[in-house]
Amino acid sequence: MEKVVLAYSGGLDTSCCIRWIKEKYGLDVICFSAFIGEVPDAKKLNQKALKSGAKKCYVYDLKKELAQEYILPSLFAHARYEGKYMLATSIGRPLIAKKLVEVAHKEGAKYVAHGCTGKGNDQVRIEVGVRTLDPKLKIIAPLKEWEFKSREEEIDYAVKHKIPIDVTKKSPYSIDKNIWGVAIEAGMLEDPWVEPPEDAYVFTKNISKTPDKPKYIEVEFSKGVPVKLNGQALPLVDLIESLNILAGRYGIGRVDMIENRLVGIKSREIYEAPAATVLMAAHEEIESMVFDRDFLHYKRLLSEKYAELVYNGLWFSPLKDALDAFFMHHQARVTGKVRVRLDKGTMAIVGRCAKKSLYKEKLATYSKDDEFDHTAANGFIKLWGLPYEGSR
Ligand code: ARG
């Protein structure tokens, strides 16, 4: 029998996908599960997939790969979609697409499948990713074609076919999580006027539950890479995970926004990205010390473009690669330390130092130690304003 490799999460949708694809397409289903956020019980997940009708289930720990190949470039790029969203889900999907293709090749499968709906950005990221990497693979997206109109109908189908499903009450929200952040949507959040209830949040504490006293932390970067947290050297994944807990405890990194999806609709999204929020602000701060004005201002334009490309599913594209090269080019200079105060849902950079700092106190000072040549300003202003003299 021909094979299909399905991106499997163990949830209701992808569990039903296994059986549904077998029936509809007559294919052997190989599941592939990536963990990039919470670590699932691989053995249980495997059993669940097999019980649902899969032939095999691969469970890969991809956190390290996510951190090195996807988070770091996004951090160097200061990538935030529409200035706010840290792109956690958007960078997880191309990695999943890449692995789907790899497993398909390993298994000699001609098909891949996923559990995304036809309304979101995730389908685009996965399908464009797969087609970029191997256009010969055929893609099956059951949720875009099956007959089920509601979750209840899916549950009926699961019960009828003895597909194991969780009996625990499902969260009313759609949640997607990895170590760079959580995306929460649907349920009552669909009303943009309604304030997100506390139970919608996963990573962060409500301000009323955060500690009374502020906390000072230090993040150290070496060549752009965060390497130490409070003086302790940590591997990147551990550093991000620790910082998620630490900054999450102070309620840092919540975003509530109306976002423009690629498919044309506006959606109300809640995000939590405690570590990403701190690390990006800290990284930007070091850059502000070591780069000149032109570089910094120009980079902002490119950051916006980069975020847009990534959000729109074009991770594996020439422009994105070229922008990565641009952002990477001077990271060797980005070595230094940032002191951050976490307090009641806000973070503030309160101190910064960098090995290659361009900041010169002798020039900036208003004290008697001032070495700035004030007389030079006259000639400068004269010429700077020359083109406009008397023009109004
Ligand atoms: N709107 C965000 C994005 O497009 C988050 C999507 C979350 N996905 C999910 N399946 N809940 O990146």
Side-chain angles (χ1 to χ4, degrees):
M1 240 201 288
E2 293 280 10
K3 296 181 199 168
V4 57
V5 179
L6 165 71
Y8 173 70
S9 71
L12 177 65
D13 288 341
T14 50
S15 295
C16 289
C17 281
I18 300 177
R19 170 82 200 205
W20 189 89
I21 293 174
K22 264 171 80 169
E23 273 183 359
K24 172 99 195 253
Y25 287 87
L27 299 169
D28 270 344
V29 181
I30 314 285
C31 286
F32 151 67
S33 220
F35 56 96
I36 50 181
E38 258 159 333
V39 181
D41 184 331
K43 221 165 128 194
K44 270 196 194 148
L45 198 62
N46 192 56
Q47 278 168 359
K48 198 172 182 186
L50 299 189
K51 270 199 199 142
S52 307
K55 266 258 134 66
K56 213 192 258 186
C57 180
Y58 290 90
V59 182
Y60 287 167
D61 175 353
L62 299 176
K63 278 200 227 179
K64 213 168 150 185
E65 194 167 337
L66 181 79
Q68 289 299 331
E69 312 286 331
Y70 298 79
I71 290 177
L72 274 188
S74 315
L75 176 66
F76 295 167
H78 304 160
R80 297 178 190 87
Y81 182 62
E82 297 185 336
K84 294 182 196 159
Y85 166 39
M86 296 281 178
L87 296 174
T89 297
S90 326
I91 61 173
R93 293 301 187 261
L95 172 58
I96 291 171
K98 185 170 157 228
K99 292 292 152 180
L100 264 180
V101 172
E102 276 174 28
V103 177
H105 289 169
K106 185 170 157 158
E107 284 287 332
K110 292 204 176 102
Y111 298 81
V112 294
H114 64 76
C116 304
T117 70
K119 233 166 131 167
N121 300 309
D122 291 334
Q123 52 167 348
V124 182
R125 297 168 186 147
I126 291 192
E127 294 187 22
V128 171
V130 167
R131 281 171 50 205
T132 305
L133 299 171
D134 183 356
K136 288 206 267 318
L137 283 169
K138 292 189 194 71
I139 302 169
I140 303 174
L143 274 80
K144 292 195 255 183
E145 32 165 325
W146 68 19
E147 57 281 20
F148 313 126
K149 294 267 177 296
S150 67
R151 199 175 151 74
E152 286 64 38
E153 287 182 29
E154 276 182 63
I155 293 174
D156 290 345
Y157 179 82
V159 171
K160 188 169 147 206
H161 295 289
K162 302 197 169 55
I163 296 166
I165 49 171
D166 281 333
V167 280
T168 50
K169 202 171 152 278
K170 203 208 166 229
S171 155
Y173 314 107
S174 159
I175 298 177
D176 186 69
K177 186 173 168 185
N178 68 45
I179 57 171
W180 201 231
V182 194
I184 306 148
E185 53 192 30
M188 69 207 300
L189 304 174
E190 285 169 3
D191 180 346
W193 185 249
V194 169
E195 183 175 356
E198 267 319 293
D199 71 352
Y201 291 102
V202 183
F203 265 160
T204 55
K205 282 248 182 323
N206 181 270
I207 294 178
S208 63
K209 301 231 167 62
T210 59
D212 286 331
K213 283 206 193 113
K215 186 174 180 71
Y216 289 84
I217 62 167
E218 266 182 30
V219 189
E220 206 171 316
F221 292 83
S222 171
K223 300 183 177 159
V225 182
V227 288
K228 281 189 191 172
L229 182 59
N230 290 328
Q232 193 192 359
L234 289 171
L236 188 55
V237 170
D238 299 7
L239 191 146
I240 293 170
E241 288 184 322
S242 310
L243 195 51
N244 271 332
I245 296 170
L246 191 60
R249 208 181 287 145
Y250 286 80
I252 311 295
R254 289 186 175 186
V255 170
D256 176 351
M257 70 187 279
I258 299 293
E259 162 183 310
N260 291 291
R261 283 195 194 164
L262 179 59
V263 293
I265 55 176
K266 287 190 189 291
S267 62
R268 199 276 185 90
E269 309 269 344
I270 307 296
Y271 297 109
E272 295 174 280
T277 302
V278 172
L279 290 178
M280 207 168 282
H283 189 276
E284 282 174 325
E285 196 67 16
I286 307 241
E287 289 207 342
S288 73
M289 294 281 273
V290 302
F291 293 133
D292 60 276
R293 175 178 52 200
D294 278 338
F295 184 85
L296 291 168
H297 292 185
Y298 197 70
K299 173 164 175 171
R300 292 169 79 104
L301 306 175
L302 300 187
S303 294
E304 197 165 320
K305 184 70 200 168
Y306 186 92
E308 229 172 79
L309 287 172
V310 173
Y311 182 87
N312 290 338
L314 302 178
W315 183 270
F316 302 109
S317 69
L319 181 54
K320 146 81 176 49
D321 289 346
L323 290 175
D324 272 330
F326 176 90
F327 298 129
M328 190 61 209
H329 191 69
H330 287 306
Q331 285 303 308
R333 283 168 161 268
V334 187
T335 294
K337 231 173 15 186
V338 174
R339 210 148 64 87
V340 186
R341 192 186 63 225
L342 311 176
D343 187 20
K344 297 267 166 222
T346 57
M347 55 142 292
I349 309 273
V350 294
R352 68 287 278 160
C353 68
K355 224 170 149 184
K356 297 231 152 78
S357 173
L358 301 176
Y359 179 84
K360 294 192 177 67
E361 204 169 341
K362 290 193 301 264
L363 296 181
T365 185
Y366 286 98
S367 75
K368 64 174 172 27
D369 301 325
D370 187 9
E371 287 180 12
F372 186 86
D373 181 357
H374 289 246
T375 58
N378 291 336
F380 167 72
I381 295 168
K382 217 180 222 163
L383 299 188
W384 178 249
L386 188 58
Y388 315 102
E389 231 163 69
S391 65
R392 287 271 164 104

